Amino acid sequence: MFDRLREDVRTALTNDPAAKSAREVVLTYPGVHAVWLYRVASRLLNGGHPLAARVLSHLTRVLTGVEIHPGATLGRRVFIDHGMGVVVGETAELGDDVQLFHGVTLGGNSPEPVKRHPTLEDGVTVGANATLVGDITVGEGATVGAGAVVVDDVAPGTTVAGNPARPIGESAEPPLSQHPRCSNPNED
């Protein structure tokens, strides 16, 4: 258990240049605290204590500003930087070395008790205020830009941005010559 705690502190020190010491991370990083308390809540849920798990999850949200459902799955070295407003839904799955910034939502799109939240594979980074909705997969090493709205799968290693999110370099509009409202100059 203590190895995991040390690993989380090292992850914060590695990912955040503002972190100056392990003591500072342990005492002042709400994203780290949220992950630690999530692990306790998840154990409670898996141990047959769903109400206690949800109460702890709620208290964690009050204390840290980060809401992680105890039914979610988090890998190792998940780092939530400036965590305020982060929401991780019940069926979300986060791989190892995932980094989330403030305001990220991993939301569901169904009221049914099915897989309805995103899966983030290893090494994914999600920028501030990005919203990912539904049973989608963000592939290994992908990056989601700040403020992006993602409702479709993201290929491994791809960077997406915008609303709706598209790979960087891919235009949301067709070129003017292919725009449906433009007439063909050869017609007349």
Side-chain angles (χ1 to χ4, degrees):
M1 177 176 97
F2 289 110
D3 288 340
R4 269 301 207 28
L5 298 176
R6 281 191 284 274
E7 183 177 62
D8 290 334
V9 171
R10 279 193 304 273
T11 298
L13 288 166
T14 299
N15 288 332
D16 187 358
K20 303 302 182 204
S21 71
R23 181 176 299 160
E24 178 185 14
V25 170
V26 168
L27 294 174
T28 68
Y29 273 62
V32 173
H33 302 153
V35 168
W36 289 346
L37 290 167
Y38 151 80
R39 289 189 187 136
V40 174
S42 181
R43 283 186 180 212
L44 286 169
L45 181 68
N46 293 329
H49 305 284
L51 181 58
R54 291 304 302 269
V55 168
L56 179 57
S57 178
H58 176 73
L59 292 174
T60 300
R61 182 176 60 101
V62 169
L63 293 171
T64 67
V66 177
E67 181 176 344
I68 306 172
H69 192 287
T73 302
L74 271 60
R76 296 177 72 151
R77 297 173 303 278
V78 169
F79 181 56
I80 302 173
D81 199 358
H82 302 289
M84 184 58 74
V86 169
V87 177
V88 178
E90 177 184 23
T91 64
E93 299 175 26
L94 284 67
D96 296 338
D97 304 304
V98 168
Q99 185 168 5
L100 306 177
F101 287 88
H102 63 277
V104 167
T105 298
L106 303 180
N109 63 351
S110 171
E112 302 300 319
V114 296
K115 172 76 168 111
R116 61 191 185 281
H117 297 90
T119 296
L120 309 182
E121 294 182 345
D122 296 346
V124 168
T125 299
V126 182
N129 298 311
T131 301
L132 293 76
V133 179
D135 182 13
I136 60 173
T137 298
V138 179
E140 185 173 349
T143 300
V144 176
V149 177
V150 183
V151 295
D152 294 310
D153 290 348
V154 176
T158 302
T159 298
V160 297
N163 179 5
R166 298 190 187 284
I168 296 295
E170 183 179 301
S171 174
E173 290 283 327
L176 191 54
S177 62
Q178 296 175 4
H179 199 279
R181 285 191 242 146
C182 293
S183 62
N184 184 340
N186 296 326
E187 291 179 0
D188 279 338

